[in-house]
């Protein structure tokens, strides 16, 4: 009987403090949620967050630096393409103990 392979990985994050800092911002959380549904352009994220485009681009950059978001290319039916962003994680777990704070993320390959 064949077993189904899974693409889920759990790995320690490079900078847990940066990820937690980024997630403390409501606009960044909204971007992460929106991009977990499907890739979104900066304009779509600006519309979704009701924030200025400058604010959205700052949050996108913060999420990219924290490895919570990735750039991708989205092709339209007319053959044009644009940069879009997609969430890179499904779960982020925080463990607090006497050794400090540890953050691990679960990534699901698509």
């Amino acid at each position: 009987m064949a077993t189904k392979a899974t693409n889920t990985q759990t790995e320690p994050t490079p900078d847990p403090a940066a990820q937690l800092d980024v997630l403390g911002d409501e606009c960044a959380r909204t971007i992460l949620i929106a991009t977990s549904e499907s890739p979104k352009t900066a304009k779509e994220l600006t519309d979704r967050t009701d924030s200025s485009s400058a604010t959205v681009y700052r949050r996108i950059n913060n999420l990219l630096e924290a490895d919570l978001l990735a750039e991708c290319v989205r092709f339209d039916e007319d053959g044009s393409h644009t940069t879009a962003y997609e969430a890179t994680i499904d779960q982020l777990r925080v463990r607090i103990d006497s050794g400090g704070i540890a953050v691990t993320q679960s990534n699901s390959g698509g």
Side-chain angles (χ1 to χ4, degrees):
M1 176 178 213
T3 59
K4 183 178 176 183
T6 178
N7 292 331
T8 301
Q9 302 172 0
T10 300
E11 56 190 45
T13 60
D15 187 356
Q19 289 184 321
L20 293 176
D21 286 346
V22 169
L23 293 175
D25 180 82
E26 183 177 353
C27 180
R29 290 190 307 269
T30 301
I31 290 169
L32 195 60
I33 292 166
T35 57
S36 70
E37 299 165 359
S38 65
K40 302 281 189 284
T41 65
K43 182 181 181 337
E44 291 168 336
L45 293 170
T46 299
D47 294 342
R48 176 78 66 101
T49 62
D50 293 326
S51 297
S52 72
S53 61
T55 297
V56 169
Y57 275 108
R58 280 194 300 273
R59 298 315 181 269
I60 287 171
N61 286 332
N62 292 344
L63 288 162
L64 288 167
E65 289 175 8
D67 295 326
L68 298 173
L69 202 65
E71 283 187 351
C72 63
V73 177
R74 190 169 75 185
F75 294 92
D76 295 326
E77 290 181 14
D78 65 3
S80 64
H81 64 281
T82 187
T83 300
Y85 303 92
E86 61 184 338
T88 59
I89 62 167
D90 289 330
Q91 290 185 1
L92 200 64
R93 293 187 179 164
V94 179
R95 188 183 78 236
I96 302 169
D97 59 25
S98 61
I101 297 175
V103 178
T104 55
Q105 64 187 37
S106 295
N107 304 314
S108 180

